[in-house]
Amino acid sequence: MIPDIGAAFGQYTYLATEVVWGVVAVGLLYRADALVQAVRTVVVLYPIAYAWDWYTLHIGVFAIRLRTGIDLLGIPIEEHIFMVVVPWLVLGIHETLRDG
């Protein structure tokens, strides 16, 4: 059985998970001395991710229940954070494994 953190965090559940994984990502990037490269990567990927996310949300591919309700540029603020945290986590893991 999976713990239901939604019961504890309510509308802040998605945001809370992003903060946790964001801290992990930044820690890995810091350890691998790859923070600058990660920021550059996100700057390039962000417009693509934003367009993809905006479109899929607007046609109803998915809905986010446990969120703050704050939207920015037509999508939830949590999705903007997600578009930064995911590449950072992937790059942090990649760089950590590469430095072995």
Side-chain angles (χ1 to χ4, degrees):
M1 182 150 190
I2 302 171
D4 181 8
I5 65 168
F9 293 104
Q11 72 184 46
Y12 299 101
T13 300
Y14 191 14
L15 185 61
T17 62
E18 290 175 325
V19 168
V20 168
W21 290 110
V23 167
V24 171
V26 169
L28 290 170
L29 290 167
Y30 179 79
R31 181 184 175 279
D33 194 28
L35 282 166
V36 172
Q37 295 89 332
V39 169
R40 287 181 24 211
T41 300
V42 166
V43 166
V44 172
L45 289 175
Y46 189 86
I48 299 163
Y50 170 80
W52 184 359
D53 208 66
W54 182 91
Y55 177 75
T56 55
L57 278 168
H58 281 81
I59 65 166
V61 170
F62 65 96
I64 305 163
R65 293 181 310 117
L66 298 175
R67 66 184 195 92
T68 61
I70 301 169
D71 288 350
L72 177 65
L73 302 174
I75 64 174
I77 192 76
E78 292 89 348
E79 286 297 288
H80 291 279
I81 297 167
F82 183 83
M83 290 183 272
V84 172
V85 170
V86 169
W88 280 7
L89 187 58
V90 169
L91 291 168
I93 291 168
H94 176 266
E95 292 299 315
T96 298
L97 290 173
R98 190 170 71 132
D99 288 349

